[in-house]
Amino acid sequence: MSIPRRCNERDRAKVLEYIAKDPEVTTFITGDIEQFGMSDPVSVFACVNDDGSWDSIVLKFYANFVCYSQNQLFDALSMAQLIKEEANEMFYGSINGPYEVISALAPFFDDLSITSSNLARLTALATDKIAPAPDGTIIRPLTAEDYDDLFALLGSTDEYHELYRDARSVAMAKQQKAADAAHGCLTYGAFYEGKLVSTASTSANNSQSSMIVGVCTRKDMRNYGLATAVVAQLCADELAAGKKFLTLFYDNPTAGHIYKRMGFEEVAQYAMLR
């Protein structure tokens, strides 16, 4: 049975070396460590075998846990016990990681449900296969002055309504968005006739990559290629700035087809317990 050990700043290089084998599925771990370091609000744990080797890694970020192991037969029981001990009053924002890891943890969390998504990677944008945005559309980075419009747009969609359904959740989201922006994360928006109609953001920003998140379009403006145009501009600027690759999640085949046309390729299944 492996024994959990809290890592500190002296362990940073070893942690990053351990997860370097699978950079796409460990983007959140790399991003959190590079942005916030190895202490509050980040806690990193290594589950250590009897011989001193590392069986797995767990990163806690506020109430969220990101899990990873190089070993197919890792000690899931020890990992689950660690997460339960570290959870704040048994509250989990999410427990996420590669599908193989999270599915092994699932039996230890009867009250949580597992969902999975396709994880895709982009290293070069297929610009010749991306249609331009409709005439009159302006795509630009969003600032704090745009946050009211941003969260009104997100809250109006079926995908994000539950996250931004009241003033308290929106206020917290604005604080998190400002913190993300301070650490290099970007949010772009498409404006049509002066109104914000589509958006996409980056998360887990780090020296090698970032993750595309929060993609949505106003319901009455869908099927015009707006989301594709925003994501494409965001990806183009990130790659031009030196990112080696970008990642994103998708669930449905239609979205997958669009992202593949842009140049994304599926690399793994990613899962979450909530």
Side-chain angles (χ1 to χ4, degrees), residues 116-172:
S116 65
S117 299
N118 299 296
L119 176 63
R121 173 188 62 198
L122 177 77
T123 56
L125 196 63
T127 54
D128 59 322
K129 297 183 180 180
I130 301 170
D135 291 343
T137 303
I138 296 174
I139 297 175
R140 65 167 175 82
L142 302 187
T143 68
E145 294 179 353
D146 299 303
Y147 286 176
D148 284 341
D149 292 336
L150 171 64
F151 290 106
L153 170 60
L154 291 168
S156 70
T157 65
D158 295 337
E159 300 95 322
Y160 298 104
H161 174 71
E162 287 300 311
L163 295 176
Y164 311 113
R165 63 175 182 260
D166 55 46
R168 180 175 178 272
S169 61
V170 170
M172 292 176 63

Side-chain angles (χ1 to χ4, degrees), residues 31-50:
D32 287 343
I33 291 175
E34 287 197 13
Q35 291 182 34
F36 299 98
M38 299 285 288
S39 57
D40 190 57
V42 171
S43 299
V44 182
F45 301 86
C47 292
V48 184
N49 296 316
D50 292 339

